[in-house]
């Protein structure tokens, strides 16, 4: 088999997605996700100008060699743009291989390790009452795990608490600015989870995303304060560029830690995994560079009792979610899968064979990863420039978003 063409599509059915489609001389095609929220066109240029020309004529069965060629062979490797582009190709190649084998992707990876994948969704509100009610509504729908974010008294709406993560989070197509106060947040958050436990009981998993906003010692304090409420995890407690910071957090709290949605390679996670500084690794098929490298991360994590918690917000396309589900179905050390749902129009453009029922995800049983991409329909939703928000402290200092 030979690769005859690689096409890149950008569409915006509710939000922007970058999609890769690989064609072969035997008529089989494969689909991959290469979406990088807020920097979509950089990935498109990387793919069209630099990767597509070197792929034509290659044997799509040689996934590992192609991955090494695109990663090692680039000299300037790593980084979110490069890795999202490689991921789009890699997912499409696994799709082709599984279709050629007549197997669902998870079967090709080694077969199912479980019957269903527990997922968590997002509950948010402008105050504690609203956020806890939103969590209750999800539990009523069958979710066994919920991430809860609430607005903070004295601050305008903050991350995850005003629906900004469910939309293209910008005004006039330019970045929105938000305000942040660490001290207000640290005072407020334990009360959110106390209220959540009082209202929702203990038979449900509660998660929280700090979104990289604390220093290690502040994160250690929050982790300790949240211990009585037995969280499933505290996510992205600090900006993880400084991985050693997790030693400090770990030394002070038994609240489980999750990190990694912005990681691009196994090297970003190596110290955290091998020193058992985290409990869940949040890397995801698209931003990790595809299924090929993410599978290695899963295996490394398994050696050190770290379980998966792949990033699954809706700014990764349903193709990425499908790959995550197939990987999770196989992974012996699966933990949980994030699932924030998609706008209806996105699910029409990307019709999938994965399903979500009562808080659990199931892969399709057809060959490949199972997601079909409707090119004609996609063309009706052209790209719209969009940015994630930026964040400032109350005195104007730029902060992590
Ligand atoms: C998550 C993420 C999202 C991000 C978004 C950024 O845990 O799902 O933090 O909420 O903000 O994916 O692109
Ligand atoms: Mg997150």
């Amino acid at each position: 088999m030979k690769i005859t063409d690689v096409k890149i599509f950008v569409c915006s059915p509710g939000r922007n997605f970058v999609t890769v489609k690989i064609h072969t001389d035997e008529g089989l095609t494969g689909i991959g996700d290469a979406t990088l929220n807020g920097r979509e066109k950089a990935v498109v240029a990387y793919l069209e100008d630099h990767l597509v020309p070197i792929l034509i004529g290659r044997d799509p069965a040689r996934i590992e060699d192609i991955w090494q060629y695109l990663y090692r062979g680039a000299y300037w490797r790593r980084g979110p743009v490069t890795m999202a582009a490689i991921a789009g190709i890699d997912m499409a190649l696994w799709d082709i291989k599984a279709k050629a084998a007549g197997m669902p992707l998870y079967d090709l990876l080694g077969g199912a390790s479980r019957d269903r994948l527990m997922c968590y969704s997002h509950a948010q509100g402008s105050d504690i009452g609203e956020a806890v009610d939103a969590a209750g509504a999800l539990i009523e729908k069958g979710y066994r795990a919920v991430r809860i974010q609430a607005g903070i008294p004295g601050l305008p709406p903050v991350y995850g608490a005003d629906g900004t993560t469910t939309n293209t989070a910008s005004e006039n197509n330019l970045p929105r600015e938000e305000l942040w106060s660490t001290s207000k947040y640290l005072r407020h958050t334990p009360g959110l989870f106390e209220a959540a436990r009082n209202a929702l009981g203990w038979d449900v998993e509660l998660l929280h995303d700090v979104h990289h906003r604390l220093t290690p010692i502040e994160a250690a304090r929050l982790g300790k304060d949240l211990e009585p409420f037995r969280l499933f995890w505290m996510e992205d407690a600090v900006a993880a560029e400084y991985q050693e910071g997790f030693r400090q957090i770990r030394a002070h709290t038994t609240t489980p830690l999750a990190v990694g949605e912005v990681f691009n390679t196994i090297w970003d996670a190596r110290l955290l995994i091998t020193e058992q500084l985290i409990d869940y690794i949040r890397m995801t098929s698209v931003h990790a560079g595809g299924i090929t490298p993410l599978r290695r991360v899963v295996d490394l994590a398994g050696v050190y009792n770290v379980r998966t918690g792949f990033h699954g917000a809706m700014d990764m396309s349903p193709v990425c979610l499908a790959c995550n589900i197939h990987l999770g179905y196989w992974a012996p050390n699966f933990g949980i899968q994030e699932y924030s749902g998609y706008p209806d129009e996105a699910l029409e453009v990307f019709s999938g064979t994965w399903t979500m029922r009562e808080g659990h995800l199931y892969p399709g049983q057809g060959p490949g990863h199972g997601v079909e991409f409707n090119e004609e329909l996609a063309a009706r939703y052209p790209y719209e420039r969009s940015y994630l928000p930026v964040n400032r402290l109350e005195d104007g200092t730029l902060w992590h978003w």
Side-chain angles (χ1 to χ4, degrees):
M1 214 188 300
K2 286 208 179 332
I3 297 174
T4 50
D5 201 2
V6 183
K7 291 214 159 68
I8 317 300
F9 303 86
V10 192
C11 62
S12 192
R15 57 192 314 144
N16 291 324
F17 297 114
V18 179
T19 304
V20 174
K21 184 168 185 180
I22 298 185
H23 294 259
T24 62
D25 58 352
E26 293 186 18
L28 278 180
T29 57
I31 304 289
D33 179 27
T35 306
L36 186 60
N37 190 353
R39 296 292 186 271
E40 298 86 355
K41 295 260 185 143
V43 184
V44 174
Y46 194 100
L47 281 159
E48 286 181 342
D49 296 343
H50 306 294
L51 300 195
V52 175
I54 53 180
L55 287 167
I56 307 299
R58 285 178 194 275
D59 177 356
R62 295 184 61 175
I63 300 177
E64 184 67 51
D65 185 61
I66 291 177
W67 194 90
Q68 298 291 338
Y69 189 86
L70 299 181
Y71 177 78
R72 251 174 239 264
Y75 189 69
W76 309 109
R77 54 207 196 191
R78 304 183 298 151
V81 175
T82 300
M83 300 311 280
I86 296 176
I89 304 293
D90 186 77
M91 286 181 217
L93 293 176
W94 278 99
D95 194 25
I96 290 171
K97 193 181 269 298
K99 284 175 181 166
M103 292 178 185
L105 178 56
Y106 71 81
D107 240 342
L108 197 60
L109 293 170
S113 293
R114 57 193 54 74
D115 305 323
R116 56 186 187 162
L117 304 185
M118 179 167 75
C119 64
Y120 73 92
S121 196
H122 300 176
Q124 57 214 12
S126 57
D127 58 22
I128 289 181
E130 231 180 83
V132 171
D133 285 351
L138 288 171
I139 293 161
E140 293 255 303
K141 282 194 197 161
Y143 283 96
R144 305 313 310 147
V146 183
R147 183 188 91 167
I148 311 183
Q149 312 290 130
I152 298 167
L155 284 184
V158 293
Y159 166 73
D162 66 345
T164 53
T165 57
T166 59
N167 273 306
T168 44
S170 59
E171 277 169 10
N172 309 321
N173 296 88
L174 293 173
R176 210 172 59 143
E177 298 213 354
E178 297 183 354
L179 273 190
W180 178 253
S181 157
T182 296
S183 55
K184 287 177 182 153
Y185 168 75
L186 287 178
R187 277 203 306 278
H188 177 71
T189 304
L192 167 63
F193 284 92
E194 184 175 22
R197 279 296 178 212
N198 287 339
L200 308 170
W202 295 85
D203 197 22
V204 56
E205 304 291 359
L206 303 181
L207 299 81
H208 182 65
D209 191 348
V210 183
H211 229 248
H212 322 275
R213 293 185 179 173
L214 301 179
T215 64
I217 200 69
E218 290 162 352
R221 156 62 59 204
L222 180 62
K224 269 169 98 112
D225 289 348
L226 292 176
E227 277 171 21
F229 313 115
R230 295 286 193 276
L231 263 59
F232 187 87
W233 77 35
M234 175 169 79
E235 175 187 345
D236 285 349
V238 297
E241 284 100 331
Y242 176 52
Q243 300 195 358
E244 291 86 342
F246 275 82
R247 291 186 183 132
Q248 203 172 358
I249 308 173
R250 197 61 153 176
H252 287 289
T253 181
T254 57
T255 293
L257 303 173
V259 74
E261 67 181 45
V262 300
F263 291 1
N264 307 124
T265 72
I266 198 166
W267 306 103
D268 297 335
R270 184 183 57 90
L271 183 123
L272 298 175
I273 290 173
T274 57
E275 288 196 17
Q276 302 192 47
L277 300 179
I278 57 170
D279 301 279
Y280 297 92
I281 182 71
R282 295 269 297 140
M283 292 171 71
T284 195
S285 298
V286 58
H287 303 129
I291 292 164
T292 300
L294 188 55
R295 189 164 64 149
R296 279 196 186 105
V297 172
V298 172
D299 274 336
L300 179 69
V303 175
Y304 296 94
N305 296 311
V306 175
R307 290 187 283 163
T308 65
F310 300 143
H311 190 199
M314 63 174 70
D315 53 345
M316 283 138 279
S317 90
V319 177
C320 175
L321 183 68
C323 294
N324 289 350
I325 293 171
H326 283 278
L327 271 166
Y329 217 53
W330 153 75
N333 49 328
F334 170 80
I336 197 167
Q337 174 61 54
E338 182 180 20
Y339 175 75
S340 62
Y342 289 98
D344 288 346
E345 56 269 41
L347 293 176
E348 284 159 16
V349 170
F350 298 94
S351 52
T353 51
W354 55 259
T355 44
M356 202 287 291
R357 291 195 303 277
E358 304 211 324
H360 292 86
L361 288 158
Y362 302 80
Q365 297 304 322
H369 57 53
V371 176
E372 304 285 346
F373 178 65
N374 185 328
E375 292 174 38
E376 292 72 41
L377 194 54
R380 288 196 224 151
Y381 300 102
Y383 165 77
E384 282 176 48
R385 188 181 61 208
S386 163
Y387 295 91
L388 286 161
V390 296
N391 213 7
R392 289 187 190 276
L393 302 182
E394 289 169 292
D395 70 356
T397 308
L398 199 85
W399 203 240
H400 312 282
W401 185 78

